[in-house]
Amino acid sequence: MHFDYCTSANLDFISLDETAFRNIIQHPDLTVTSEERVLDAILMWCMKSEKLSGWEVVNELLTDSTLESVFKDRLQLVNDLLPSVRFPLLPYSLLKKLENTSLSRQIPAFGDLVREAINYIECGAATHGNDQNVRFQHRRSCYKELQYICDGDSNGVIYFSGTSYGEHPWVNPVLSKRIAITPSSPASRHTDPKVLVSRTYQGTCFAGPRTEDGNIFAWWMVDIGQDRQLMCNYYTLRQDGSRAYVRNWKFQGCMDGRSWIDLRVHENDQTMCKPGQFASWPVTGPNALLPFRFFRVLLTGPTTDASNPWNLCICFLELYGYFH
């Protein structure tokens, strides 16, 4: 449960015997903040490291040394233990970096696992049918599971933030500054960030259009907070009292508020059809395994309202998944 601390505060874990170390890194309740920590720990243990280091240091050693001289009597264990790292959960940019290392070139099992993870992310989970393989599943114990039950429930991230993460009675998380909401148009009486995360129905609530690179968009953006991350697997919207129903939009996530990744793309989605209606959608595929701080609903085509087709008229948003 304290794997990160025990493998980064000192080197005592290096003296664990094979059975004990294997049991820890393969335990279903292993709690880590990143699979990179698991990789680093395996490499340090296998080389009986005399100082705390990461994979970069081991990679540098391999540029001038042989596998035998680096790992000695634990060389075979490198191949045995590497599958305990859930490579598909590593950031794509890191995987591409690992692909071109001495580790990948000199350790065939390492290279195979990295390429498998890259292929999984690039081609999508559906292509592989590997969803039941433990390497492709996030470690549930690392994050608090906030599971979608029904439309308008109290199980989502925004509600959880409003309770100070389970510590206090609920207050609007925008007022308590646990959550920040940004619309595409300036705040006004009908464009109020507090409304989107309130528990009270609002008849008129919309984010108006803006032009970006010659294209018209409208969006609501959610910042779940500094040092907070969510692997989102479901989200809920609620139509305001208007008949401006969305048909084409994207649900996106990012870490920096600028480089957006599509989590779900809606094209001619007819779900919204009544004022005040709730609707929820699952987020599936490899991107559901990626943690993000920022999320947004981005209108990519006009709504069904002929008079104001680019007003994004929703009065509620909730997110679900694995929260850290």
Side-chain angles (χ1 to χ4, degrees):
M1 297 303 293
H2 303 284
F3 184 86
D4 281 12
Y5 177 81
C6 293
T7 56
S8 59
N10 57 59
L11 285 167
D12 289 351
F13 76 97
I14 300 296
S15 61
L16 290 170
D17 62 42
E18 177 190 343
T19 301
F21 185 68
R22 187 188 294 270
N23 286 343
I24 290 169
I25 64 167
Q26 294 179 350
H27 197 284
D29 289 329
L30 178 67
T31 301
V32 295
T33 56
S34 166
E35 290 301 311
E36 194 172 355
R37 291 291 184 91
V38 183
L39 173 61
D40 290 345
I42 288 173
L43 294 175
M44 280 192 287
W45 184 85
C46 287
M47 65 184 287
K48 299 180 183 177
S49 180
E50 296 178 352
K51 63 180 181 178
L52 292 166
S53 59
W55 64 265
E56 298 98 329
V57 172
V58 183
N59 184 63
E60 201 170 311
L61 287 172
L62 286 176
T63 58
D64 301 312
S65 307
T66 63
L67 289 173
E68 290 76 13
S69 64
V70 172
F71 296 110
K72 302 182 176 67
D73 60 324
R74 289 181 175 175
L75 175 57
Q76 181 54 46
L77 293 172
V78 175
N79 291 320
D80 294 343
L81 296 174
L82 278 174
S84 298
V85 181
R86 302 185 183 186
F87 283 91
L89 305 190
L90 288 169
Y92 181 77
S93 57
L94 177 56
L95 287 168
K96 294 298 286 185
K97 190 174 180 180
L98 290 171
E99 186 180 26
N100 298 305
T101 59
S102 295
L103 285 163
S104 281
R105 286 189 290 271
Q106 295 196 41
I107 306 174
F110 188 98
D112 290 343
L113 288 165
V114 169
R115 284 187 290 274
E116 177 189 53
I118 290 172
N119 192 42
Y120 177 79
I121 292 172
E122 289 180 344
C123 298
T127 311
H128 292 266
N130 285 322
D131 289 344
Q132 300 308 311
N133 188 318
V134 70
R135 290 204 308 278
F136 296 83
Q137 299 172 8
H138 41 67
R139 302 180 191 273
R140 293 171 183 250
S141 57
C142 305
Y143 291 78
K144 180 174 180 61
E145 185 176 8
L146 298 169
Q147 184 179 3
Y148 168 82
I149 302 297
C150 63
D151 294 345
D153 62 26
S154 299
N155 298 327
V157 171
I158 290 174
Y159 186 88
F160 186 56
S161 300
T163 64
S164 298
Y165 315 114
E167 297 295 324
H168 303 291
W170 187 88
V171 297
N172 189 301
V174 168
L175 293 174
S176 63
K177 301 189 186 306
R178 303 281 182 184
I179 295 281
I181 302 290
T182 307
S184 51
S185 58
S188 68
R189 184 162 61 96
H190 296 308
T191 307
D192 185 349
K194 298 190 298 299
V195 169
L196 205 67
V197 293
S198 73
R199 310 299 291 177
T200 305
Y201 171 67
Q202 185 80 9
T204 304
C205 179
F206 62 85
R210 69 186 296 167
T211 301
E212 296 178 356
D213 299 324
N215 298 310
I216 302 175
F217 296 104
W219 42 260
W220 285 102
M221 183 177 73
V222 181
D223 176 0
I224 62 172
Q226 189 173 4
D227 301 324
R228 299 288 175 180
Q229 297 180 356
L230 172 70
M231 291 188 289
C232 186
N233 58 22
Y234 236 96
Y235 78 102
T236 297
L237 303 179
R238 188 179 191 184
Q239 180 73 28
D240 71 356
S242 74
R243 296 181 179 274
Y245 307 128
V246 290
R247 293 292 178 257
N248 300 280
W249 75 96
K250 293 179 178 181
F251 177 61
Q252 301 176 310
C254 77
M255 282 302 298
D256 59 6
R258 295 185 300 275
S259 304
W260 295 97
I261 293 175
D262 293 343
L263 300 180
R264 184 170 180 128
V265 177
H266 300 259
E267 295 179 347
N268 195 28
D269 190 316
Q270 304 284 322
T271 306
M272 290 291 204
C273 56
K274 292 184 292 188
Q277 176 188 350
F278 282 102
S280 300
W281 296 268
V283 176
T284 58
N287 287 347
L289 299 175
L290 296 175
F292 297 106
R293 170 182 170 180
F294 298 91
F295 297 87
R296 75 174 177 178
V297 179
L298 175 72
L299 190 64
T300 57
T303 68
T304 58
D305 182 12
S307 56
N308 293 292
W310 286 97
N311 282 350
L312 177 52
C313 299
I314 57 174
C315 64
F316 177 81
L317 171 68
E318 184 57 280
L319 311 172
Y320 302 86
Y322 297 93
F323 182 67
H324 178 67

